[in-house]
Amino acid sequence: MTTLVCTSASNAATPATQTLSFASYPTQASYPTYPSFSSYVKARRPVLLRTARSLTANPSDAEDLLQTALTKTYVAWERIEDHRALDGYVRRALLNTRTSQWRKRKVDEFVCDELPEPEGTPVGDPADHQVLHDAMWRAIMKLPARQRAMVVLRYYEDLSEVQTAEVLGVSVGTVKSAVSRALGKLREDPELVLAR
């Protein structure tokens, strides 16, 4: 799992070289074979893979995660006392491994000419937004109760005209005409004209 980060050429650092030595890793012959482990994996792999897939977004990552958890289980096979609780042990290994992967995720940096800064939309003053919000509610409160209910259901609760008509027990045509008149009154409200 790698996260890419772009840095400017002036901040780029030279990568450190690493040398891996495989002499310290044990060979396959140094591990004993467990027939019960093989039969457990054959029987429970589909269920455990579903669990791994629920922890990752990518099926390939899920297979790698399950393989790592099964490797940890294999190494600890002799220490596991209750083989009836293996699913819980493997699930815990899946979760711990995934958590470790998430914590250790690598952040790669690469050199680019310009930093990719997101172009944000200019955000106005929150106080101006609140003033407009308050003015809108005052204007809505001036509407007759029936028009107010229809405007709130249509535009604040995001109901369709049919749904609004059903909620209020009126026809769709009544909703259309009442909302149209209410919007006309809101357009003419002096507080909202000044706020525009």
Side-chain angles (χ1 to χ4, degrees), residues 39-165:
S39 61
Y40 170 76
V41 171
K42 286 177 187 172
R44 300 300 294 166
R45 186 179 186 283
V47 174
L48 296 171
L49 186 57
R50 268 196 310 271
T51 303
R53 283 188 178 155
S54 70
L55 296 172
T56 63
N58 183 341
S60 298
D61 290 341
E63 291 174 2
D64 292 343
L65 178 63
L66 178 59
Q67 186 65 37
T68 303
L70 288 174
T71 302
K72 291 178 179 181
T73 305
Y74 181 81
V75 170
W77 192 254
E78 289 181 340
R79 294 189 318 260
I80 300 173
E81 295 174 9
D82 186 6
H83 282 224
R84 292 173 298 177
L86 282 173
D87 281 353
Y89 185 90
V90 176
R91 283 190 183 105
R92 175 50 62 183
L94 284 167
L95 186 59
N96 290 347
T97 302
R98 182 66 182 133
T99 303
S100 295
Q101 289 173 348
W102 178 80
R103 287 181 181 152
K104 294 176 186 176
R105 69 184 179 272
K106 186 177 178 181
V107 177
D108 286 339
E109 293 186 2
F110 60 95
V111 179
C112 58
D113 293 332
E114 292 183 29
L115 292 177
E117 297 297 331
E119 292 182 26
T121 56
V123 179
D125 186 9
D128 291 340
H129 178 73
Q130 187 62 42
V131 167
L132 180 60
H133 182 265
D134 293 343
M136 177 62 76
W137 271 112
R138 281 192 299 276
I140 289 174
M141 294 307 291
K142 293 177 190 173
L143 294 173
R146 186 168 160 175
Q147 287 181 0
R148 183 179 343 133
M150 291 182 189
V151 167
V152 169
L153 290 173
R154 282 286 291 131
Y155 298 104
Y156 284 89
E157 296 297 324
D158 202 27
L159 297 182
S160 68
E161 291 168 342
V162 174
Q163 292 170 326
T164 303

Side-chain angles (χ1 to χ4, degrees), residues 13-26:
T14 57
T17 58
Q18 293 180 346
T19 306
L20 295 176
S21 170
F22 293 103
S24 62
Y25 290 104

